[in-house]
Amino acid sequence: MNEGLQDRLEKFGLSLYMIRVTIAASLSWLAVHSLHGDSYLYFAPLAAILITQGSVKASLEKGIYRLMGVVLGGIVSLLVGHFFDVGALSILLMLLIGIGVATACRINIQAVSQVGVTSVLALTFYQDPYIVWRVAETLIGVLIALIINMIIVPPGGFVKVKRLALEGTQQLADALTGLAAESSSSKQAPERLVRSGQLLAKSDKQQKELHYTLSHYQCRSGLRSLTQATSHLQKVHRYVKEIAEEISLLPAHYAAADWMTEVVTATADCIALYGTKTLSDAECTRSLPEALRRARDLQFAWFSELQGQCSLTAVRDLGAVFSHLNRVLEEIERADYAATVIPAPASVRSGSARAVHLVKRGLSHKL
């Protein structure tokens, strides 16, 4: 399904979630009907409807909780129903035992509620086949719903998560630039810093969800690189948060000085340049190593000069800022290096390790 088709379908109420639910429920009913005939056909489509979520991971979690609740509720109802007739006392004992055991085992609340539902229904229709049918058909519904979730995915998923990471990087660079500026950008810096963290976290979450879909095989190499880049950028985001805290503690004539703006802007340029180079399809005309070298030279030159002009307390506070700025450059440098190095296959790595081991043994014998 392409993005344009999805937009047109949603105008008529045919959302991706609705398509998943209807197909999963219909196939679940068809599968159970072809296998078992007309017995308890509603459990499989019911399970498919209830566990279908926006992502495969969320559907898997809900499916596991539902199966746990059905199995535990069925076992408890069989035990209680063996000794008691259906009534208020049997239902009371059954719920106390089932929900009590589930709660004591720290089972998710979704599974706990399912224990109660299954127990009451199983005791009402008390018979061994009911429990077996319910567990089997629930399992069928869960499996079909998961398969549908893996196949029917939002169009352009990889492009969207990459766009989120790029936007988060740009917001991060703008936030760092605004930390030492006497303008409206300085007031927007905290908001941009929060926004960049949200975008990077959202991109990271959606990247992990893509791994559960069949469509990720088409872009698994790019997805692996994007995941690695996002991890580095989240570390950079933590450093920028620490820089913001340190700058807020500095006197105003240090925090808004021209040299502080120059140093911070040069570091922010490296973040923006890395994002453009790694996360954008646009041609990057500037050299990231040169930008890193320039930013590091500026940091070293200004900090060296300030040591002879400022008090010991000011040098200590400024040193914290410059230390975190340098960590940002080091993280960007590591990220750029990781993106350019192609990891060797496992067989080559194991062969190289074996060769090194044999060489070391030979040298040790000679010595």
Side-chain angles (χ1 to χ4, degrees), residues 128-168:
D128 293 350
Y130 173 89
I131 307 298
V132 176
W133 282 100
R134 172 138 197 183
V135 172
E137 294 192 12
T138 299
L139 178 61
I140 291 172
V142 168
L143 291 176
I144 291 178
L146 288 174
I147 293 172
I148 294 300
N149 262 34
M150 293 173 66
I151 296 174
I152 303 178
V153 296
F158 177 69
V159 176
K160 290 180 179 178
V161 296
K162 193 174 182 180
R163 190 184 305 141
L164 284 173
L166 177 60
E167 186 180 350

Short mmCIF file of all heavy atoms in Angstrom, two decimals, residues 128-168:
data_model
loop_
_atom_site.label_atom_id
_atom_site.label_comp_id
_atom_site.label_asym_id
_atom_site.label_seq_id
_atom_site.Cartn_x
_atom_site.Cartn_y
_atom_site.Cartn_z
N ASP A 128 -14.93 -29.76 29.49
CA ASP A 128 -13.52 -29.76 29.10
C ASP A 128 -13.29 -29.26 27.68
O ASP A 128 -12.35 -28.51 27.45
CB ASP A 128 -12.93 -31.17 29.25
CG ASP A 128 -12.87 -31.58 30.72
OD1 ASP A 128 -13.08 -30.69 31.57
OD2 ASP A 128 -12.61 -32.76 30.99
N PRO A 129 -14.12 -29.67 26.67
CA PRO A 129 -13.86 -29.18 25.31
C PRO A 129 -13.90 -27.66 25.19
O PRO A 129 -13.19 -27.08 24.36
CB PRO A 129 -14.98 -29.83 24.48
CG PRO A 129 -15.36 -31.03 25.26
CD PRO A 129 -15.22 -30.65 26.69
N TYR A 130 -14.72 -27.02 26.03
CA TYR A 130 -14.81 -25.56 25.94
C TYR A 130 -13.45 -24.93 26.20
O TYR A 130 -13.01 -24.03 25.47
CB TYR A 130 -15.83 -25.03 26.95
CG TYR A 130 -15.86 -23.52 27.03
CD1 TYR A 130 -16.69 -22.78 26.19
CD2 TYR A 130 -15.05 -22.83 27.93
CE1 TYR A 130 -16.72 -21.40 26.25
CE2 TYR A 130 -15.07 -21.45 28.00
CZ TYR A 130 -15.89 -20.74 27.16
OH TYR A 130 -15.90 -19.38 27.22
N ILE A 131 -12.75 -25.38 27.23
CA ILE A 131 -11.44 -24.82 27.57
C ILE A 131 -10.44 -25.07 26.44
O ILE A 131 -9.70 -24.17 26.03
CB ILE A 131 -10.91 -25.44 28.88
CG1 ILE A 131 -11.95 -25.30 29.99
CG2 ILE A 131 -9.61 -24.79 29.28
CD1 ILE A 131 -12.30 -23.88 30.33
N VAL A 132 -10.44 -26.30 25.92
CA VAL A 132 -9.50 -26.64 24.86
C VAL A 132 -9.78 -25.81 23.61
O VAL A 132 -8.85 -25.26 22.99
CB VAL A 132 -9.58 -28.15 24.53
CG1 VAL A 132 -8.68 -28.48 23.36
CG2 VAL A 132 -9.21 -28.97 25.76
N TRP A 133 -11.08 -25.71 23.25
CA TRP A 133 -11.43 -24.92 22.07
C TRP A 133 -11.04 -23.46 22.25
O TRP A 133 -10.52 -22.82 21.34
CB TRP A 133 -12.94 -25.01 21.82
CG TRP A 133 -13.38 -26.28 21.17
CD1 TRP A 133 -13.93 -27.37 21.78
CD2 TRP A 133 -13.30 -26.61 19.79
NE1 TRP A 133 -14.20 -28.35 20.89
CE2 TRP A 133 -13.81 -27.91 19.64
CE3 TRP A 133 -12.82 -25.95 18.66
CZ2 TRP A 133 -13.88 -28.56 18.42
CZ3 TRP A 133 -12.90 -26.58 17.44
CH2 TRP A 133 -13.42 -27.88 17.32
N ARG A 134 -11.31 -22.93 23.43
CA ARG A 134 -11.04 -21.50 23.64
C ARG A 134 -9.56 -21.20 23.55
O ARG A 134 -9.15 -20.22 22.93
CB ARG A 134 -11.58 -21.06 25.00
CG ARG A 134 -11.17 -19.64 25.34
CD ARG A 134 -12.28 -18.85 25.95
NE ARG A 134 -11.99 -17.43 25.90
CZ ARG A 134 -12.75 -16.49 26.40
NH1 ARG A 134 -13.89 -16.81 26.96
NH2 ARG A 134 -12.42 -15.23 26.32
N VAL A 135 -8.72 -22.03 24.16
CA VAL A 135 -7.27 -21.82 24.10
C VAL A 135 -6.77 -21.95 22.66
O VAL A 135 -6.00 -21.12 22.17
CB VAL A 135 -6.54 -22.81 25.03
CG1 VAL A 135 -5.03 -22.71 24.82
CG2 VAL A 135 -6.88 -22.53 26.48
N ALA A 136 -7.21 -23.01 21.97
CA ALA A 136 -6.74 -23.25 20.61
C ALA A 136 -7.17 -22.13 19.67
O ALA A 136 -6.36 -21.62 18.88
CB ALA A 136 -7.26 -24.60 20.12
N GLU A 137 -8.42 -21.73 19.75
CA GLU A 137 -8.91 -20.71 18.83
C GLU A 137 -8.36 -19.33 19.16
O GLU A 137 -8.13 -18.51 18.27
CB GLU A 137 -10.44 -20.70 18.83
CG GLU A 137 -11.02 -21.99 18.27
CD GLU A 137 -12.50 -21.89 18.00
OE1 GLU A 137 -13.04 -20.77 18.03
OE2 GLU A 137 -13.12 -22.94 17.75
N THR A 138 -8.14 -19.07 20.44
CA THR A 138 -7.48 -17.80 20.80
C THR A 138 -6.07 -17.75 20.24
O THR A 138 -5.63 -16.72 19.72
CB THR A 138 -7.44 -17.65 22.33
OG1 THR A 138 -8.77 -17.62 22.84
CG2 THR A 138 -6.73 -16.36 22.73
N LEU A 139 -5.38 -18.88 20.32
CA LEU A 139 -4.02 -18.94 19.75
C LEU A 139 -4.04 -18.71 18.25
O LEU A 139 -3.20 -17.96 17.72
CB LEU A 139 -3.39 -20.30 20.08
CG LEU A 139 -1.98 -20.53 19.52
CD1 LEU A 139 -1.00 -19.50 20.07
CD2 LEU A 139 -1.51 -21.94 19.82
N ILE A 140 -5.01 -19.29 17.57
CA ILE A 140 -5.12 -19.09 16.12
C ILE A 140 -5.39 -17.62 15.80
O ILE A 140 -4.78 -17.03 14.90
CB ILE A 140 -6.23 -19.99 15.54
CG1 ILE A 140 -5.82 -21.46 15.61
CG2 ILE A 140 -6.54 -19.60 14.09
CD1 ILE A 140 -6.92 -22.43 15.24
N GLY A 141 -6.31 -17.02 16.53
CA GLY A 141 -6.62 -15.60 16.30
C GLY A 141 -5.43 -14.70 16.56
O GLY A 141 -5.18 -13.76 15.79
N VAL A 142 -4.67 -14.98 17.61
CA VAL A 142 -3.48 -14.18 17.93
C VAL A 142 -2.43 -14.31 16.83
O VAL A 142 -1.85 -13.31 16.37
CB VAL A 142 -2.90 -14.62 19.29
CG1 VAL A 142 -1.51 -14.01 19.51
CG2 VAL A 142 -3.82 -14.20 20.43
N LEU A 143 -2.18 -15.53 16.36
CA LEU A 143 -1.17 -15.75 15.33
C LEU A 143 -1.54 -15.05 14.02
O LEU A 143 -0.70 -14.41 13.38
CB LEU A 143 -0.97 -17.24 15.10
CG LEU A 143 -0.31 -18.02 16.24
CD1 LEU A 143 -0.26 -19.51 15.91
CD2 LEU A 143 1.09 -17.49 16.50
N ILE A 144 -2.79 -15.16 13.63
CA ILE A 144 -3.22 -14.52 12.38
C ILE A 144 -3.16 -13.01 12.49
O ILE A 144 -2.72 -12.32 11.56
CB ILE A 144 -4.64 -14.99 12.00
CG1 ILE A 144 -4.60 -16.47 11.59
CG2 ILE A 144 -5.22 -14.14 10.87
CD1 ILE A 144 -5.95 -17.06 11.25
N ALA A 145 -3.57 -12.47 13.64
CA ALA A 145 -3.49 -11.02 13.83
C ALA A 145 -2.05 -10.53 13.77
O ALA A 145 -1.76 -9.47 13.20
CB ALA A 145 -4.13 -10.64 15.16
N LEU A 146 -1.12 -11.28 14.35
CA LEU A 146 0.29 -10.90 14.31
C LEU A 146 0.83 -10.92 12.88
O LEU A 146 1.57 -10.03 12.46
CB LEU A 146 1.12 -11.83 15.19
CG LEU A 146 0.95 -11.66 16.71
CD1 LEU A 146 1.73 -12.74 17.44
CD2 LEU A 146 1.43 -10.29 17.14
N ILE A 147 0.45 -11.94 12.13
CA ILE A 147 0.91 -12.03 10.73
C ILE A 147 0.38 -10.86 9.91
O ILE A 147 1.11 -10.26 9.12
CB ILE A 147 0.48 -13.38 10.13
CG1 ILE A 147 1.23 -14.53 10.82
CG2 ILE A 147 0.75 -13.41 8.63
CD1 ILE A 147 0.74 -15.90 10.42
N ILE A 148 -0.89 -10.52 10.11
CA ILE A 148 -1.48 -9.39 9.38
C ILE A 148 -0.78 -8.09 9.76
O ILE A 148 -0.49 -7.24 8.91
CB ILE A 148 -2.99 -9.29 9.67
CG1 ILE A 148 -3.73 -10.51 9.11
CG2 ILE A 148 -3.57 -8.01 9.09
CD1 ILE A 148 -3.59 -10.67 7.60
N ASN A 149 -0.46 -7.93 11.05
CA ASN A 149 0.26 -6.74 11.50
C ASN A 149 1.66 -6.65 10.90
O ASN A 149 2.18 -5.56 10.66
CB ASN A 149 0.37 -6.72 13.02
CG ASN A 149 -0.69 -5.85 13.67
OD1 ASN A 149 -1.80 -5.78 13.16
ND2 ASN A 149 -0.37 -5.23 14.78
N MET A 150 2.27 -7.79 10.66
CA MET A 150 3.61 -7.82 10.07
C MET A 150 3.58 -7.49 8.58
O MET A 150 4.54 -6.95 8.04
CB MET A 150 4.25 -9.19 10.30
CG MET A 150 4.57 -9.50 11.75
SD MET A 150 5.12 -11.20 11.98
CE MET A 150 6.67 -11.17 11.10
N ILE A 151 2.46 -7.84 7.93
CA ILE A 151 2.37 -7.65 6.48
C ILE A 151 1.83 -6.26 6.12
O ILE A 151 2.40 -5.55 5.29
CB ILE A 151 1.49 -8.75 5.85
CG1 ILE A 151 2.14 -10.12 6.05
CG2 ILE A 151 1.27 -8.49 4.37
CD1 ILE A 151 1.29 -11.28 5.60
N ILE A 152 0.73 -5.89 6.76
CA ILE A 152 0.09 -4.60 6.45
C ILE A 152 0.68 -3.54 7.37
O ILE A 152 0.35 -3.47 8.56
CB ILE A 152 -1.44 -4.69 6.63
CG1 ILE A 152 -2.01 -5.79 5.73
CG2 ILE A 152 -2.09 -3.35 6.31
CD1 ILE A 152 -3.49 -5.98 5.86
N VAL A 153 1.56 -2.73 6.85
CA VAL A 153 2.28 -1.73 7.64
C VAL A 153 2.08 -0.36 7.01
O VAL A 153 1.72 -0.25 5.83
CB VAL A 153 3.78 -2.06 7.72
CG1 VAL A 153 4.01 -3.37 8.45
CG2 VAL A 153 4.39 -2.12 6.32
N PRO A 154 2.29 0.73 7.78
CA PRO A 154 2.18 2.07 7.19
C PRO A 154 3.17 2.24 6.04
O PRO A 154 4.30 1.77 6.12
CB PRO A 154 2.53 2.99 8.36
CG PRO A 154 2.27 2.19 9.58
CD PRO A 154 2.57 0.77 9.21
N PRO A 155 2.78 2.89 4.96
CA PRO A 155 3.68 3.06 3.81
C PRO A 155 4.83 4.00 4.15
O PRO A 155 4.67 4.96 4.91
CB PRO A 155 2.76 3.67 2.74
CG PRO A 155 1.67 4.33 3.51
CD PRO A 155 1.46 3.49 4.73
N GLY A 156 5.99 3.72 3.56
CA GLY A 156 7.15 4.59 3.75
C GLY A 156 7.61 4.68 5.19
O GLY A 156 8.01 5.76 5.65
N GLY A 157 7.56 3.55 5.91
CA GLY A 157 7.94 3.57 7.33
C GLY A 157 9.38 3.99 7.54
O GLY A 157 9.68 4.80 8.43
N PHE A 158 10.28 3.47 6.74
CA PHE A 158 11.71 3.79 6.90
C PHE A 158 11.97 5.26 6.61
O PHE A 158 12.73 5.93 7.31
CB PHE A 158 12.55 2.91 5.98
CG PHE A 158 14.02 3.22 6.02
CD1 PHE A 158 14.77 2.94 7.14
CD2 PHE A 158 14.65 3.83 4.93
CE1 PHE A 158 16.13 3.24 7.18
CE2 PHE A 158 15.99 4.14 4.97
CZ PHE A 158 16.73 3.83 6.10
N VAL A 159 11.31 5.78 5.57
CA VAL A 159 11.48 7.19 5.23
C VAL A 159 10.99 8.09 6.36
O VAL A 159 11.61 9.10 6.69
CB VAL A 159 10.73 7.51 3.92
CG1 VAL A 159 10.81 8.99 3.60
CG2 VAL A 159 11.30 6.69 2.77
N LYS A 160 9.89 7.70 6.99
CA LYS A 160 9.32 8.51 8.07
C LYS A 160 10.23 8.54 9.29
O LYS A 160 10.43 9.60 9.90
CB LYS A 160 7.93 7.98 8.44
CG LYS A 160 6.88 8.24 7.37
CD LYS A 160 5.53 7.70 7.78
CE LYS A 160 4.47 7.98 6.72
NZ LYS A 160 3.15 7.41 7.08
N VAL A 161 10.76 7.38 9.70
CA VAL A 161 11.62 7.37 10.89
C VAL A 161 12.93 8.10 10.62
O VAL A 161 13.49 8.74 11.52
CB VAL A 161 11.89 5.92 11.36
CG1 VAL A 161 10.62 5.25 11.81
CG2 VAL A 161 12.58 5.09 10.29
N LYS A 162 13.40 8.03 9.39
CA LYS A 162 14.61 8.77 9.03
C LYS A 162 14.36 10.27 9.06
O LYS A 162 15.20 11.05 9.52
CB LYS A 162 15.09 8.33 7.64
CG LYS A 162 16.49 8.79 7.28
CD LYS A 162 16.92 8.18 5.96
CE LYS A 162 18.34 8.60 5.61
NZ LYS A 162 18.78 8.01 4.31
N ARG A 163 13.16 10.67 8.59
CA ARG A 163 12.79 12.09 8.61
C ARG A 163 12.66 12.59 10.05
O ARG A 163 13.05 13.72 10.36
CB ARG A 163 11.48 12.27 7.85
CG ARG A 163 11.10 13.74 7.59
CD ARG A 163 9.74 13.81 6.93
NE ARG A 163 9.71 12.99 5.72
CZ ARG A 163 8.67 12.27 5.35
NH1 ARG A 163 7.59 12.22 6.09
NH2 ARG A 163 8.72 11.58 4.22
N LEU A 164 12.12 11.77 10.93
CA LEU A 164 12.01 12.14 12.34
C LEU A 164 13.38 12.36 12.97
O LEU A 164 13.60 13.32 13.71
CB LEU A 164 11.25 11.06 13.12
CG LEU A 164 9.74 10.98 12.95
CD1 LEU A 164 9.20 9.76 13.66
CD2 LEU A 164 9.08 12.24 13.51
N ALA A 165 14.33 11.45 12.67
CA ALA A 165 15.67 11.58 13.22
C ALA A 165 16.36 12.83 12.69
O ALA A 165 17.06 13.54 13.44
CB ALA A 165 16.49 10.34 12.89
N LEU A 166 16.16 13.13 11.41
CA LEU A 166 16.77 14.33 10.81
C LEU A 166 16.19 15.59 11.44
O LEU A 166 16.94 16.52 11.79
CB LEU A 166 16.54 14.33 9.30
CG LEU A 166 17.05 15.57 8.54
CD1 LEU A 166 18.56 15.71 8.72
CD2 LEU A 166 16.69 15.47 7.06
N GLU A 167 14.88 15.62 11.63
CA GLU A 167 14.26 16.80 12.24
C GLU A 167 14.72 16.96 13.69
O GLU A 167 14.97 18.08 14.15
CB GLU A 167 12.73 16.66 12.20
CG GLU A 167 12.00 17.90 12.69
CD GLU A 167 10.49 17.74 12.65
OE1 GLU A 167 10.01 16.74 12.06
OE2 GLU A 167 9.80 18.61 13.21
N GLY A 168 14.86 15.84 14.39
CA GLY A 168 15.37 15.91 15.76
C GLY A 168 16.79 16.44 15.82
O GLY A 168 17.15 17.20 16.73
#
